[in-house]
Amino acid sequence: MIVILEAARAGLLQRRHWGANLVAGVIVGVVALPLSMAFAIASGAKPEQGLYTAIVAGLAVSLLGGSRLQIAGPTGAFIVILADITARYGIAGLQVATLMAGVMLLLMGLARFGAVIRFIPAPVITGFTTGIAIIIWVGQWKEFFGLPAVSGGHFHEKFWHLLQSLPQFHVTTTLLALMSLALVIFSKKIPGMARVPGPLVALVVATIAQGIFQFQGVNTIGSAFGELPSGLPTLQWPEMTFARLVELIGPAFTIAMLGAIESLLSAVVADGMAGTRHDSNQELIGQGVANVLSPLFGGFAATGAIARTATNIRNGGTSPLAGVVHALTLVAVLLFLAPLAKNVPLAALAAILFVVAWNMSELPHLVHLLRHAPRADIVILLVTLALTVFADLVIAVNIGVILASFHFLRRMAASMEVRQASAEEIGQQAGLDAGQALPEGLLVFNVDGPFFFGAADNFRRALESALVTPKVLILRLRWVPYIDATGLETLAGVIRSFQAKGVRVMLSGASERVQARLKRGGILKLVGESNHFAAFEQALQACRAMPRSDEASGPASVLG
């Protein structure tokens, strides 16, 4: 359901809720101010474009998303992808890719893919977020230390060149960056500053210091980008050609996938903090609208921002009104305070991104996983992290998900148990007295677990382990929750093999779902309706009703 309608129906837009949401919205807007500019610059865009993105996307997601507490805008997770797209295709290419990603997100939401996105395993998510954090951290060394520009198309090349240029650091820039970093981390401990966001304190103090002393050699927004325009962006349709659209399908899909993952993760975090429940499909639709509109007004890719959403909740936000106020706060900054931004040192923004990278890395959580997670999950995490840093985020996520899927399938296949039941077990389960004999030439196999392509070979090998050719084979399917096409084919092959030896094959205990698949796959027709039973006791009773024979079964391979 559209979040603004849900909030209205729940009474959260009534006047008694205005105060808390207004305060929360202003605080989140203040937090978003330095972050939006920092993320824009790191992504290869202009600082005002970060503000445009936060305003447009923030309004769209707050009004049309699936979480009433979600705050959207540019985020740190996008930096690596967007910077690469901007370097290859320019800011115009980034905006076209963003618009295309918005359409993809809309289609995902309409196709109800919201739940599917959440199946990406935790080791993969931790691996690529930690990898992104490393890239962001190293990528800000140049501005933090005032280093000369470095070359290199790959991370390891840039990292090596940065290490070589560290002795050339600019003293004033580095001191300004260290002061900003200290303020971001410790400003809340200053009396009376507990509720003032650390990034804002660092931004204001560093900007005032640069404005007063005009330190030589310190790069600022003004020296790098000129003054921020005082006013709101106008609607501009980006130039698109068919060839450009085809060229940008890959980058657009990357933006869409990462945007979907991060926005839904942020919504889950919000639910955990506030006890709410988001609509994942509507959230994708809201994010899609946001990414369609953002480039039309000069912005770029946006998604749900976990840190700003958490800030919203901690400061009393309960409805989409807080998200709207957050956007309006940034509008006020653009209209009235834009000229002051020319003295903002890029070193201060780099210090803010240092802290963002640290928070993204979740280092304590990473260490915990490396110490306590299963070995396979650790391998998946490290492979995803390494590929994110040294190769490409899309490759990293794809390979991480593939490895996790293979591991899951292997575990699921191993969980399927096909076991020959003993005479005592059969008697107990059938409720037979101690003196009652079992039917002659009976062989019973219990099948326990999902009967899918990964487990089909286990089933065949288990039946091959039988040392006698029975008169009757009962396959108990009571504990089979699912059977796929490969399982049906394997089962049919085994049944035909036994029937060719003159063995009567019976099936018992299949659930309604499995029974429907057996019927559709022709298995019930193959065994005959008289050989399919709802309960094992009924199958056993049918065996007891069969005429007895004095022919003994000799040793043989079941499947021959």
Side-chain angles (χ1 to χ4, degrees):
M1 183 178 181
I2 297 177
V3 69
I4 193 68
L5 299 179
E6 179 192 2
R9 182 174 297 179
L12 294 173
L13 300 184
Q14 296 177 4
R15 182 169 297 185
R16 68 176 184 273
H17 295 288
W18 287 5
N21 285 286
L22 287 171
V23 171
V26 170
I27 292 174
V28 175
V30 167
V31 171
L33 174 63
L35 292 177
S36 298
M37 292 192 295
F39 294 150
I41 294 171
S43 300
K46 295 181 179 180
E48 64 266 23
Q49 290 180 295
L51 298 178
Y52 298 160
T53 303
I55 292 169
V56 176
L59 283 172
V61 171
S62 293
L63 296 176
L64 302 174
S67 170
R68 65 172 181 256
L69 300 170
Q70 183 84 281
I71 303 295
T75 65
F78 269 149
I79 288 176
V80 178
I81 294 173
L82 303 189
D84 182 62
I85 296 173
T86 305
R88 293 185 185 185
Y89 307 104
I91 192 65
L94 172 60
Q95 291 177 323
V96 173
T98 299
L99 195 153
M100 294 170 64
V103 174
M104 293 178 185
L105 285 166
L106 274 171
L107 295 176
M108 288 181 192
L110 294 173
R112 308 190 69 80
F113 279 3
V116 177
I117 297 292
R118 291 180 292 176
F119 291 153
I120 296 179
V124 176
I125 293 173
T126 302
F128 81 69
T129 53
T130 303
I132 290 171
I134 293 172
I135 295 173
I136 292 173
W137 177 58
V138 173
Q140 293 304 306
W141 286 12
K142 175 182 177 297
E143 301 300 346
F144 191 93
F145 297 106
L147 303 177
V150 297
S151 59
H154 300 283
F155 174 83
H156 65 279
E157 295 172 340
K158 294 178 182 177
F159 180 63
W160 178 244
H161 291 158
L162 283 168
L163 286 176
Q164 289 180 315
S165 62
L166 275 178
Q168 305 175 45
F169 72 94
H170 188 262
V171 176
T172 308
T173 299
T174 304
L175 291 175
L176 203 57
L178 290 172
M179 178 194 70
S180 301
L181 183 62
L183 288 173
V184 173
I185 299 172
F186 300 112
S187 65
K188 290 184 180 295
K189 297 184 179 181
I190 301 174
M193 301 288 287
R195 291 183 65 102
V196 181
L200 180 67
V201 176
L203 184 72
V204 171
V205 172
T207 302
I208 291 175
Q210 178 64 24
I212 294 174
F213 298 105
Q214 293 296 315
F215 299 115
Q216 295 297 314
V218 174
N219 289 331
T220 64
I221 285 180
S223 64
F225 303 99
E227 291 190 4
L228 262 64
S230 298
L232 299 178
T234 57
L235 179 64
Q236 293 182 342
W237 189 262
E239 182 179 349
M240 290 185 288
T241 63
F242 180 76
R244 196 68 183 277
L245 293 178
V246 172
E247 185 180 40
L248 292 171
I249 286 178
F253 183 74
T254 304
I255 293 173
M257 289 302 298
L258 183 57
I261 294 168
E262 189 170 7
S263 65
L264 294 178
L265 282 176
S266 179
V268 169
V269 170
D271 288 347
M273 294 180 65
T276 56
R277 186 175 181 180
H278 75 281
D279 182 334
S280 58
N281 296 309
Q282 185 61 45
E283 181 63 23
L284 292 181
I285 292 173
Q287 296 290 341
V289 173
N291 282 280
V292 168
L293 294 178
S294 178
L296 299 182
F297 289 93
F300 52 90
T303 186
I306 296 176
R308 275 160 276 173
T309 299
T311 302
N312 179 33
I313 297 169
R314 291 193 191 103
N315 287 279
T318 59
S319 78
L321 179 61
V324 173
V325 172
H326 136 267
L328 295 178
T329 301
L330 295 176
V331 169
V333 170
L334 268 178
L335 293 178
F336 304 110
L337 300 178
L340 301 178
K342 66 180 181 180
N343 288 318
V344 174
L346 298 184
L349 297 180
I352 293 171
L353 289 179
F354 268 27
V355 177
V356 169
W358 169 263
N359 292 333
M360 281 186 64
S361 71
E362 295 185 323
L363 190 58
H365 178 60
L366 177 68
V367 172
H368 176 79
L369 285 178
L370 293 177
R371 293 180 60 185
H372 302 289
R375 185 175 302 174
D377 288 334
I378 294 174
V379 171
I380 292 169
L381 189 157
L382 293 176
V383 168
T384 305
L385 192 158
L387 289 174
T388 300
V389 174
F390 295 106
D392 178 82
L393 178 63
V394 180
I395 295 174
V397 173
N398 287 340
I399 292 181
V401 170
I402 290 171
L403 289 176
S405 299
F406 283 159
H407 174 58
F408 173 76
L409 292 175
R410 185 180 67 83
R411 295 293 299 272
M412 290 299 292
S415 71
M416 181 185 181
E417 183 181 9
V418 184
R419 181 175 54 83
Q420 181 178 344
S422 65
E424 293 181 359
E425 182 182 354
I426 296 172
Q428 291 176 355
Q429 293 178 351
L432 299 180
D433 296 331
Q436 288 181 284
L438 293 173
E440 178 186 358
L442 173 65
L443 192 62
V444 178
F445 273 89
N446 299 327
V447 185
D448 186 355
F451 199 160
F452 71 113
F453 63 91
D457 191 54
N458 293 353
F459 175 79
R460 182 182 293 276
R461 283 190 281 106
L463 291 181
E464 286 177 346
S465 66
L467 299 179
V468 296
T469 300
K471 291 179 61 179
V472 180
L473 171 67
I474 300 179
L475 297 177
R476 302 188 66 187
L477 305 178
R478 176 183 175 186
W479 301 281
V480 176
Y482 170 80
I483 185 168
D484 70 354
T486 306
L488 290 171
E489 289 184 2
T490 303
L491 182 58
V494 168
I495 291 172
R496 290 191 186 99
S497 180
F498 273 103
Q499 289 176 338
K501 299 177 187 299
V503 178
R504 181 180 178 182
V505 180
M506 296 182 177
L507 306 177
S508 74
S511 65
E512 291 184 6
R513 180 182 181 183
V514 172
Q515 184 176 342
R517 290 181 176 268
L518 293 175
K519 184 176 182 180
R520 191 179 306 120
I523 301 297
L524 298 187
K525 183 178 180 181
L526 180 63
V527 299
E529 290 293 337
S530 61
N531 291 320
H532 176 248
F533 303 92
F536 173 64
E537 292 77 12
Q538 295 172 341
L540 197 60
Q541 186 177 2
C543 290
R544 293 170 64 86
M546 291 174 60
R548 296 180 61 84
S549 172
D550 294 333
E551 296 178 9
S553 299
S557 171
V558 172
L559 297 180

